[in-house]
Amino acid sequence: MNTARLAEAVDPSLVLLTVEEAARRLQIGRTVCYRLISSGELESITVGHLRRVPADAVPEFVARRRVRQHPATPITLASAA
């Protein structure tokens, strides 16, 4: 990957990402990313005829997935002893 593409991949100033950029940040394929968008799991908006993913939607998606896959186990007095 050349330096310009690397800078683009991690540029924190981007507000909206292309689907390809969002997929790259999630380290998934473009088709899987479109599937997540279609299902509503990953937020996206349209700008004109373009599909864009808000940059903050990527970490929100990961956080929801982490909670869903590893729900916090409540600590009770009996289990803490």
Side-chain angles (χ1 to χ4, degrees):
M1 180 181 283
N2 67 30
T3 307
R5 294 291 278 175
L6 181 59
E8 172 189 308
V10 294
D11 184 354
S13 67
L14 293 176
V15 176
L16 296 174
L17 306 172
T18 65
V19 174
E20 291 79 7
E21 290 167 338
R24 190 169 35 253
R25 287 188 182 193
L26 291 167
Q27 296 184 341
I28 60 175
R30 185 178 64 116
T31 304
V32 173
C33 196
Y34 273 109
R35 199 173 304 135
L36 292 171
I37 290 168
S38 294
S39 71
E41 289 186 73
L42 181 61
E43 180 187 357
S44 72
I45 63 171
T46 54
V47 179
H49 295 291
L50 304 172
R51 174 70 50 191
R52 294 293 183 256
V53 176
D56 61 350
V58 174
E60 289 172 5
F61 165 76
V62 173
R64 282 193 310 275
R65 276 289 177 108
R66 289 179 75 181
V67 168
R68 193 166 71 201
Q69 290 181 6
H70 302 289
T73 306
I75 298 175
T76 63
L77 292 176
S79 65

